[in-house]
């Protein structure tokens, strides 16, 4: 049935029992005889001394060709990067072997969306820090032009261009990915619902508006406790007005490495709010990971953050958890980690070193030092924060230019409202 060909399942399969029956044809018979002589001395005691005469036939064995890895490309602004961006890139990686990500230039963002909040350097740090990203192209165009598409195919060996199921329109109303679709090199993933950069800008504006209102109220009435009156209710208001996030255990599993530390691993622990996940977070996590073999990250819950800062976090606990899990330097996360590091916690997780950065968000005066125990055990280290950026400094950029960002949000919100109004079920995760 099959003439002169050898079929085998693996490199070693030919030398294992049970494969000789797969050899067919005259050439196959001769090779079978040679192998039997060599390995068993079959056929009347004629053995290995005669096998070299048949070695030339073994050169006809088909070699298993190594397939070129499938390379996929996905681009974006990745401004105010969140778990929705991370999940999009995770899905894109599943469609190939290597993921190349284009980060759109500042100029293109201004022309198509409005002013970016984060600089190109900060956005590159965030994208490069994701566990699913293999390569980054800075200053990518917003539109997939014919010239850039050919660059992707010929220079970067891209097989497919990926985008979400939500429309990406240019100012003139045309599809930014029309050319990729036309040549049959486009693949679609499911948009991650419940969060967007537009949504986050809205949360920032509302959160700090309420914070300022609380300060004014406190100035008017010295007996008012701002934390009580502007705390939990404010958090709930932000959630109800601006968040559609529905956390699931499946999503957490998709983001998790799913691996425990190996025996003898040096486990490093670092904790924080990790609110509005930014380049400073990526760099401090990189520094912490370099001090050991396994990085365990504690993410504080919303209540603990509000109690110490006087206002609720912009991103909720599970949103912040997903952003941390998506970072390539993180091995495991404690969701809702205790504010103080106890001896029991050190023992339970076999922590070798507890670290904290020199740049921190504000906390209430008179707070108990959360690192008293690890300091007494001689396992605490303060490490220099590579960047001075903080959640508040990022939010301040928006507050200081709120008119420009309100205008940008109104434009984007109209587009998102249309998406949700016309939304249909799309398979994928």
């Amino acid at each position: 049935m099959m003439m002169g060909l050898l079929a085998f399942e693996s490199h070693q399969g030919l030398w294992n029992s049970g494969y000789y029956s797969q050899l067919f044809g005259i050439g196959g018979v001769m090779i079978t005889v040679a192998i039997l002589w060599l390995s068993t001395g079959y056929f009347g005691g004629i053995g290995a001394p005669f096998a070299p005469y048949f070695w030339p036939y073994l050169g006809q064995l088909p070699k298993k060709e190594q397939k070129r890895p499938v390379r996929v490309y996905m681009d974006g602004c990745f401004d105010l990067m969140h778990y929705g961006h991370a999940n999009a890139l995770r899905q894109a990686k599943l469609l190939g072997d290597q993921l190349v990500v284009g980060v759109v230039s500042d100029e293109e963002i201004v022309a198509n969306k409005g002013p970016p909040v984060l600089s190109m350097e900060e956005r590159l740090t965030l994208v490069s820090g994701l566990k699913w990203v293999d390569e980054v192209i800075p200053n990518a165009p917003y539109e997939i032009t014919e010239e850039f598409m050919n660059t992707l195919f010929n220079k970067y060996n891209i097989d497919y261009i990926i985008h979400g199921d939500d429309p990406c329109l240019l100012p003139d109303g045309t599809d930014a990915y029309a050319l990729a679709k036309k040549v049959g090199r486009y693949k679609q993933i499911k948009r991650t619902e419940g969060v967007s950069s537009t949504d986050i800008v809205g949360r920032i504006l509302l959160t700090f508006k309420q914070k300022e209102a609380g300060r004014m109220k406190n100035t008017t009435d010295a007996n008012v406790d701002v934390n009580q009156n502007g705390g939990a209710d404010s958090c709930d208001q932000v959630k109800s007005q601006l968040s559609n996030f529905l956390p699931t255990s499946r999503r957490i599993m998709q983001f998790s490495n799913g691996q425990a530390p190996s025996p003898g691993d040096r486990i490093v622990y670092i904790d924080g709010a990790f609110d509005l996940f930014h380049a400073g977070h990526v760099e401090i996590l990189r520094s912490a990971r370099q001090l050991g073999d396994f990085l365990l990250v504690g993410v504080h819950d919303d209540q603990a953050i509000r109690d110490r800062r006087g206002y609720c976090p912009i991103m909720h606990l599970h949103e912040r958890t997903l952003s941390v899990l998506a970072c390539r330097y993180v091995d495991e996360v404690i969701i809702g980690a205790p504010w103080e590091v106890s001896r029991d916690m050190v023992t339970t997780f076999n922590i070798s070193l507890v670290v904290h950065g020199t740049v921190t968000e504000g906390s209430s005066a008179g707070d108990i030092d959360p690192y008293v125990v690890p300091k007494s055990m001689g396992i605490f280290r303060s490490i220099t924060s590579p960047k001075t950026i903080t959640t508040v400094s990022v939010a301040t950029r928006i507050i200081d230019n709120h008119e420009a960002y309100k205008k940008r949000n109104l434009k984007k919100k109209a587009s998102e409202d249309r998406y949700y109004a016309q939304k249909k079920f799309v398979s994928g995760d």
Side-chain angles (χ1 to χ4, degrees), residues 7 73 91 112 118 140 164 224 226 236 244 264 271 291-292 305 314 333 377 391 426:
Y73 172 83
Q91 292 181 80
N112 289 278
L118 304 180
V224 174
V226 177
D236 291 339
N244 297 308
D271 60 7
L291 298 175
I305 296 169
I314 296 162
V333 168
M377 298 173 67
T391 299
V426 177

Side-chain angles (χ1 to χ4, degrees), residues 115 198 201-202 205 209 398-399 401-413:
T198 304
V201 169
L205 292 172
K209 179 181 178 181
I398 296 172
I399 301 301
N401 298 280
H402 65 278
E403 289 300 330
Y405 288 110
K406 279 172 70 176
K407 185 177 179 181
R408 166 181 156 173
N409 259 32
L410 286 173
K411 180 180 177 182
K412 285 292 296 177
K413 188 176 185 303

Side-chain angles (χ1 to χ4, degrees), residues 164-306:
D165 63 275
D166 54 317
C168 183
L169 303 179
L170 299 171
D172 63 2
T174 57
D175 186 353
Y177 295 90
L179 283 176
K181 294 175 181 178
K182 185 177 179 180
V183 298
R185 303 281 286 272
Y186 176 85
K187 288 191 175 184
Q188 182 174 283
I189 58 169
K190 183 176 181 178
R191 169 183 165 137
T192 304
E193 298 175 358
V195 69
S196 68
S197 297
T198 304
D199 157 50
I200 294 172
V201 169
R203 293 194 209 184
I204 291 170
L205 292 172
L206 178 60
T207 298
F208 282 84
K209 179 181 178 181
Q210 290 174 336
K211 181 185 177 185
E212 188 62 29
R215 282 178 178 172
M216 292 176 64
K217 188 174 183 180
N218 193 39
T219 303
T220 305
D221 184 354
N223 296 320
V224 174
D225 186 339
V226 177
N227 285 349
Q228 289 181 1
N229 291 337
D233 292 342
S234 297
C235 287
D236 291 339
Q237 185 178 359
V238 172
K239 289 177 185 178
S240 62
Q241 289 187 7
L242 293 167
S243 178
N244 297 308
F245 177 58
L246 300 173
T248 63
S249 59
R250 174 175 169 77
R251 181 71 76 226
I252 292 176
M253 289 174 62
Q254 290 169 335
F255 275 51
S256 174
N257 287 350
Q259 294 180 344
S262 300
D265 274 357
R266 179 176 169 84
I267 300 173
V268 179
Y269 177 75
I270 185 170
D271 60 7
F274 299 100
D275 194 18
L276 209 60
F277 198 77
H278 52 68
H281 292 138
V282 175
E283 294 296 354
I284 195 67
L285 291 172
R286 184 210 303 263
S287 298
R289 182 64 174 79
Q290 291 171 346
L291 298 175
D293 307 300
F294 191 94
L295 182 59
L296 176 65
V297 181
V299 180
H300 300 311
D301 63 31
D302 299 352
Q303 181 72 27
I305 296 169
R306 184 181 67 82

Side-chain angles (χ1 to χ4, degrees), residues 92-112:
K93 181 63 178 283
L94 293 174
L95 297 177
D97 303 306
Q98 296 174 356
L99 174 60
V100 181
V101 180
V103 180
V104 176
S105 69
D106 293 347
E107 296 75 18
E108 294 266 319
I109 297 175
V110 170
N112 289 278

